[in-house]
């Protein structure tokens, strides 16, 4: 299976990258982003793209893909709705439409978030924009699935790039494993998200919008290898 990860430097992207590199049936793993990753692996291919709004320079390497894991995103904090929509809706749809045109049989898995507003009419700005993005992606001619995790526990050395989140996870680290076992409806891990993405790419899923509890139920058959062999 040939996969593309967009946003592999983020917390969720790091988790799915680990699982893709560990999976025997995934090769190659192509990553698009604005910065080079600190990971080296024989299966890993990286392409630096200054602006995801324009993929013309990398279109030749985007063919023959089986799945795209779209993990890129920004916080809405301090952004106007127009600014947030440009990054979250316009950029995402532009990228995915290009990928679907080149790869008609593509499976898309888009990382959204718990609380996303599918009606697009709610009072919360980010939830409306995420809802509009999900709806537009689900309408495209490809197999598309929306992942809506709530709290994600970073494991296997994965770390958020956002300082505030890093502080939160360090403080909450002793409690999260226990909470994850007892509250699967609200808490998952980067490992579980990555493995669930691979399972959906391989076999599909009964739901096209998956919350944390659905993600946790997809205990995949993705082969895991010890962390020191990957990163």
């Amino acid at each position: 299976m040939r996969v593309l990860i967009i946003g592999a430097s983020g917390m969720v992207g790091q988790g799915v990258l680990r699982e893709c590199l560990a999976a025997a049936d995934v090769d190659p793993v192509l990553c698009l982003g604005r910065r080079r990753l600190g990971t080296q692996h024989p299966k890993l291919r990286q392409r630096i793209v200054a602006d995801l709004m324009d993929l013309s320079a990398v279109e030749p390497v985007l063919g023959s893909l089986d799945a795209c894991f779209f993990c890129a995103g920004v916080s809405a904090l301090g952004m106007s709705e127009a600014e947030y929509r440009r990054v979250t809706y316009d950029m995402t749809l532009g990228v995915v439409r290009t990928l679907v045109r080149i790869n008609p049989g593509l499976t898309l898995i888009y990382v959204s978030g718990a609380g996303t507003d599918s009606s697009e009419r709610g009072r919360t700005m980010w939830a409306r924009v995420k809802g509009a993005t999900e709806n537009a992606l689900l309408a495209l001619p490809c197999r598309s699935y929306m992942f809506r995790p709530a709290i994600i526990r970073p494991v296997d050395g994965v770390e958020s790039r956002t300082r505030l989140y890093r502080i939160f996870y360090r403080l909450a680290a002793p409690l999260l494993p226990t909470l994850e076992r007892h509250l699967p409806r609200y808490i998952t891990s980067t490992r579980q998200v990555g493995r669930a993405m691979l399972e959906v790419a391989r076999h599909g899923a009964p739901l096209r919008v998956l919350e944390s509890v659905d993600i946790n139920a997809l205990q995949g058959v993705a082969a895991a290898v010890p962390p020191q062999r990957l990163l």
Side-chain angles (χ1 to χ4, degrees):
M1 183 164 59
R2 298 169 59 88
V3 305
L4 168 67
I5 304 175
I6 298 176
S9 64
M11 195 172 79
V12 175
Q14 291 173 53
V16 72
L17 174 60
R18 285 189 59 85
E19 298 305 322
C20 286
L21 295 179
D25 62 342
V26 177
D27 191 5
V29 181
L30 174 63
C31 294
L32 288 187
R34 291 179 295 178
R35 57 180 61 84
R36 186 159 293 277
L37 304 172
T39 303
Q40 293 185 345
H41 193 280
K43 294 196 294 189
L44 180 60
R45 309 285 185 271
Q46 299 187 57
R47 293 293 184 275
I48 306 303
V49 182
D51 183 3
L52 286 173
M53 292 286 194
D54 181 10
L55 297 182
S56 57
V58 295
E59 279 198 21
V61 303
L62 297 179
S64 302
L65 294 172
D66 297 300
C68 171
F69 303 127
F70 202 109
C71 308
V74 297
S75 169
L77 188 64
M79 298 182 74
S80 69
E81 183 163 353
E83 292 170 331
Y84 185 68
R85 186 179 180 89
R86 180 180 182 277
V87 176
T88 301
Y89 182 94
D90 296 342
M91 184 195 74
T92 301
L93 267 293
V95 170
V96 175
R97 283 170 178 152
T98 297
L99 294 175
V100 172
R101 171 173 54 81
I102 300 172
N103 305 276
L106 186 76
T107 296
L108 167 73
I109 299 174
Y110 174 71
V111 180
S112 184
T116 293
D117 177 15
S118 297
S119 75
E120 305 179 35
R121 297 190 297 270
R123 298 178 63 182
T124 305
M125 180 272 281
W126 73 263
R128 289 196 307 271
V129 176
K130 282 283 192 180
T133 306
E134 283 190 357
N135 291 338
L137 293 173
L138 289 167
L140 292 177
C142 67
R143 289 202 315 165
S144 55
Y145 300 89
M146 309 295 114
F147 271 40
R148 292 182 177 181
I151 298 174
I152 304 175
R153 181 169 69 94
V155 296
D156 302 323
V158 169
E159 191 173 58
S160 174
R161 289 173 47 223
T162 303
R163 182 174 178 272
L164 186 60
Y165 290 167
R166 289 198 302 271
I167 294 171
F168 165 77
Y169 285 120
R170 286 169 189 164
L171 294 174
L175 297 175
L176 285 178
T178 301
L179 291 175
E180 184 180 346
R181 286 194 299 272
H182 294 288
L183 298 172
R185 187 169 296 276
Y186 305 105
I187 303 177
T188 185
S189 71
T190 51
R191 184 189 304 143
Q192 287 174 298
V193 173
R195 292 183 181 181
M197 285 184 171
L198 280 171
E199 285 303 289
V200 173
R202 293 184 184 108
H203 307 301
L207 301 172
R208 297 187 71 187
V209 177
L210 295 94
E211 308 285 347
S212 287
V213 66
D214 308 306
I215 293 167
N216 289 341
L218 290 169
Q219 294 303 310
V221 296
V225 300
Q228 61 268 24
R229 291 175 57 188
L230 288 180
L231 302 179

